[in-house]
Amino acid sequence: MVPKIRRGSRTHGLLVYLYGPGRRDEHVDPHLVGSWDGFAPDPGRDTSADPDPKVTLARLAAALDLRVKQAGDRAPAKHVWHCSVRTDPGDRMLTDAEWNTVARRLVHAVNLAPEGDPDGCRWIAVRHADDHIHILATMVRGDLRCPRMNYDFKRAQAECRRIEQEWGLRRLNPGDGTGSKTPTSAERFKAERTGRPEPSRETLREAVRQSLAGAATEEEFFTRLREAGLRVKVRTAPSGDAIGYNVALPGDRNRHREPIWFPGSKLAPDLSLPKIRLRLADGTADQTTSSVATSGRPDCSPPARERRSATGVAEHAALLLDSDDDNAAAQLVGAGELLDAVAQTSPAATRAELAAAAREFERATRSHVRAERADTRAIRSAARGIIQAGSALGRGEDGGTTAMLVSTLVLVALAAARWHSARGHAQQAHASRRTAEHLRTAYRQAAATPMRALRDQGRALPEAVRRTHEATIRAALPQRRLRADGTPTKTDALAATLAQAEQAGHDPKTLLQQAIGMRELDTAEDVNDVLVWRLRRIAQLPAHPGEVTPHPQDGTRQSKTSANDRTGNRTAPTAAAHPGSDPRTRPPRR
């Protein structure tokens, strides 16, 4: 049950709309289902002799505005409170009496007409469709004072959640006021008229988010906005310092042919310039350290190398989220930037699902929890490196490292869902789980080719070698089912990876135990796939099995693991980006 609240100044004009034919949805049998005293005239069902609907509507408007006229200048300029309440399409149809109860409970909850108060505001509830009503109230009480209407939207939302629970309707997730502003009806209708796939507000929000991903400075952020094709207007103080910014889509104009500007704060609460400055100060992306040293494969293409490096950083972010520390809230913001970076530069086959995942996760990055130590340098540097490396082609090592990174991002999204659920953040937890579903779809698309090649290589192993590695897998995972749905899966790809690791000079048993100990596997959809990518990353094997395997560097043999590894304490490799603002490394255009 969704309430939508607006305020206006024309009681008669709103009544004309409510009892009219409708501008988009056809209004069928408009009639009152409730009013402040139960005796308000009903223009839709006036049974008096020779009724004229226009005359009845004028009488109703006059009755609603009576106290407004009596209050004179003390009445608020926008004295009309308008709330539409809609049930979910899957809910049962409510009767007029039930809608009357809904209306009375809502005007009581927001303090318009408290139950038993004879001086409550005048209101009516009009029904002109099966699934919703409109509540119209004039905000002047019988004692000619204005009602105290603080937090009316939150109070209406809370009352709707209680009604849903009591009446067995679909229960929506309660919000916490940190969600981004949704497009208005006018914005949605304009998008349909002009043939845009979505309202301008949503297009701009995504473009601003992507321009911020991995940005090191405020100047770079504004440069990226302009390179993305947006119109940008920076607001300055008399001193010349920037105090805010507005963005607009080219060609998006109002009736006066002027650009329609949106301030960053109206796109999302964390996209205002002060919030962006805090993010840049908390986690300035490292522009000096190359990620070649941390990726372990300097022979990779830049997109593959940066994805491989980012995988370790994402693994560390998941560990921090699992620690149940409030400071992990900063990792959510960084993970959102990493998803935006991957979505911008992903291969065509996975781009749609990764973009959908980034959009869903945007809701999971905001809550009222504030990290005291917001160090996001590593994860923001990983996002920056991916942006500067450019688009991945999705073939060979590019495709394999994309699958490697997306597999880890699934675990990050699930860890975020648990972190939010533990704090009662229902909307953020739901968004995190939706993100994981999109990422799983993207993973299946990206991993199809490299995993098929690995399974073929596993089946082609000599029988004795194959039996040896399968015994190693059974010993390390004696009672673990390799798929979340309980169905067994063949370990061909895992056996092939162990064989390649052994050929490169690693100890398969030690390496597999290290991969298992990196993080829990209970949330993995396919444990076999997760371990394959972990092994290939920590053993520095190529993500695509057709690539050449380099000889391990000194000190990388897993049989000589450090004491830090043996104790189970792990630190994620620090990702970094390429140096700054070379025009050749600018982020891809939208």
Side-chain angles (χ1 to χ4, degrees):
M1 184 174 286
V2 180
K4 185 179 294 185
I5 295 174
R6 310 173 190 83
R7 297 194 183 190
S9 57
R10 296 178 61 246
T11 305
H12 186 271
L14 180 56
L15 287 174
V16 169
Y17 165 72
L18 295 180
Y19 280 95
R23 295 172 187 161
R24 289 183 55 82
D25 301 323
E26 184 179 358
H27 294 178
V28 179
D29 185 24
H31 60 279
L32 289 184
V33 293
S35 65
W36 71 95
D37 60 358
F39 297 101
D42 185 355
R45 294 184 177 179
D46 192 341
T47 57
S48 60
D50 194 21
D52 184 345
K54 292 184 179 180
V55 173
T56 307
L57 191 144
R59 288 173 47 217
L60 178 58
L64 287 167
D65 279 339
L66 175 64
R67 292 169 177 174
V68 176
K69 294 184 181 301
Q70 291 173 341
D73 294 340
R74 290 179 294 170
K78 291 190 174 183
H79 60 270
V80 177
W81 188 85
H82 175 206
C83 176
S84 60
V85 192
R86 187 180 300 270
T87 55
D88 186 77
D91 287 334
R92 63 180 176 83
M93 187 187 303
L94 301 185
T95 65
D96 284 355
E98 288 174 319
W99 277 122
N100 179 29
T101 302
V102 170
R104 289 186 177 279
R105 290 181 61 165
L106 285 176
V107 294
H108 170 79
V110 302
N111 201 41
L112 272 169
E115 200 69 36
D117 183 356
D119 287 329
C121 297
R122 294 192 169 192
W123 62 271
I124 61 169
V126 178
R127 182 179 188 178
H128 53 212
D130 292 336
D131 62 347
H132 71 277
I133 60 169
H134 293 261
I135 304 172
L136 186 161
T138 48
M139 295 190 296
V140 177
R141 291 169 44 83
D143 52 16
L144 303 186
R145 293 186 294 113
C146 295
R148 293 184 177 180
M149 299 281 292
N150 296 335
Y151 308 108
D152 56 339
F153 178 73
K154 288 185 177 181
R155 292 179 176 180
Q157 286 274 17
E159 189 63 27
C160 285
R161 301 295 84 79
R162 285 189 285 269
I163 293 172
E164 290 165 356
Q165 183 176 5
E166 294 171 15
W167 292 10
L169 305 177
R170 181 193 172 193
R171 299 177 63 180
L172 302 181
N173 293 320
D176 60 1
T178 60
S180 55
K181 183 175 175 59
T182 57
T184 64
S185 298
E187 292 171 359
R188 291 196 302 271
F189 299 158
K190 182 179 180 180
E192 292 181 14
R193 289 196 312 270
T194 57
R196 293 185 180 273
E198 62 187 3
S200 299
R201 186 189 300 272
E202 294 186 349
T203 302
L204 290 168
R205 183 187 303 129
E206 183 174 14
V208 173
R209 233 181 41 235
Q210 291 184 347
S211 298
L212 183 57
T217 64
E218 191 175 313
E219 292 73 19
E220 181 184 357
F221 166 64
F222 286 129
T223 299
R224 287 189 183 182
L225 285 177
R226 295 184 177 97
E227 288 180 341
L230 305 186
R231 304 185 64 157
V232 182
K233 181 170 62 177
V234 180
R235 303 193 305 275
T236 57
S239 62
D241 296 330
I243 58 175
Y245 71 98
N246 294 51
V247 289
L249 285 179
D252 187 22
R253 298 178 180 272
N254 59 20
R255 68 181 64 181
H256 305 295
R257 307 303 299 165
E258 299 168 340
I260 300 178
W261 297 98
F262 289 85
S265 59
K266 297 300 183 182
L267 299 177
D270 55 346
L271 293 183
S272 65
L273 188 57
K275 295 289 181 65
I276 288 174
R277 284 172 172 163
L278 285 175
R279 188 186 302 193
L280 296 176
D282 289 340
T284 301
D286 185 357
Q287 302 179 69
T288 59
T289 305
S290 173
S291 65
V292 172
T294 59
S295 72
R297 288 191 56 81
D299 58 324
C300 293
S301 67
R305 184 170 61 243
E306 296 298 342
R307 279 162 168 72
R308 181 181 286 268
S309 180
T311 301
V313 179
E315 187 85 47
H316 185 60
L319 285 171
L320 293 176
L321 288 167
D322 281 337
S323 68
D324 202 33
D325 185 353
D326 281 353
N327 286 304
Q331 298 301 311
L332 294 169
V333 177
E337 290 196 28
L338 186 56
L339 267 171
D340 281 321
V342 176
Q344 290 181 75
T345 60
S346 61
T350 58
R351 191 173 302 149
E353 288 296 336
L354 288 173
R359 284 195 172 195
E360 288 286 353
F361 199 73
E362 185 250 356
R363 182 66 187 95
T365 61
R366 292 191 304 273
S367 69
H368 289 301
V369 178
R370 292 289 177 266
E372 295 180 6
R373 301 183 302 279
D375 185 359
T376 59
R377 284 172 294 183
I379 196 164
R380 295 198 71 244
S381 291
R384 180 178 179 81
I386 287 174
I387 289 289
Q388 292 193 329
S391 297
L393 298 177
R395 298 188 294 272
E397 188 75 358
D398 278 0
T401 51
T402 297
M404 178 186 291
L405 176 55
V406 174
S407 173
T408 304
L409 288 174
V410 172
L411 302 181
V412 173
L414 294 174
R418 288 193 298 273
W419 188 88
H420 281 302
S421 294
R423 289 159 179 76
H425 304 161
Q427 288 187 356
Q428 292 90 332
H430 177 70
S432 298
R433 287 189 287 269
R434 290 283 302 273
T435 301
E437 292 306 312
H438 285 296
L439 288 172
R440 280 173 169 149
T441 302
Y443 168 76
R444 287 190 286 268
Q445 295 167 344
T449 299
M451 289 301 293
R452 186 185 309 115
L454 277 173
R455 286 192 289 269
D456 291 342
Q457 291 181 6
R459 286 191 290 268
L461 288 173
E463 188 63 28
V465 175
R466 179 184 175 85
R467 283 200 301 267
T468 299
H469 292 308
E470 286 181 344
T472 300
I473 295 168
R474 285 195 300 271
L477 303 165
Q479 297 178 339
R480 190 182 297 277
R481 289 180 288 194
L482 296 180
R483 286 191 63 85
D485 57 9
T487 59
T489 184
K490 294 183 179 180
T491 58
D492 299 326
L494 188 53
T497 299
L498 290 175
Q500 292 172 13
E502 185 176 40
Q503 186 179 10
H506 299 278
D507 177 18
K509 293 181 181 179
T510 304
L511 196 67
L512 183 57
Q513 288 297 338
Q514 183 183 353
I516 293 172
M518 288 177 66
R519 192 174 174 275
E520 57 82 25
L521 294 167
D522 293 335
T523 55
E525 187 178 44
D526 193 318
V527 175
N528 178 68
D529 284 21
V530 171
L531 290 177
V532 164
W533 297 120
R534 286 185 186 176
L535 287 167
R536 302 194 79 81
R537 182 172 63 81
I538 61 179
Q540 301 176 14
L541 299 174
H544 190 276
E547 303 288 335
V548 178
T549 305
H551 194 277
Q553 300 172 2
D554 293 339
T556 60
R557 292 177 182 267
Q558 298 307 312
S559 57
K560 299 181 180 179
T561 20
S562 65
N564 184 48
D565 289 334
R566 288 195 298 269
T567 58
N569 296 324
R570 298 171 297 279
T571 57
T574 303
H578 298 297
S581 57
D582 186 342
R584 293 171 297 179
T585 60
R586 285 174 180 168
R589 295 182 181 272
R590 288 174 52 79

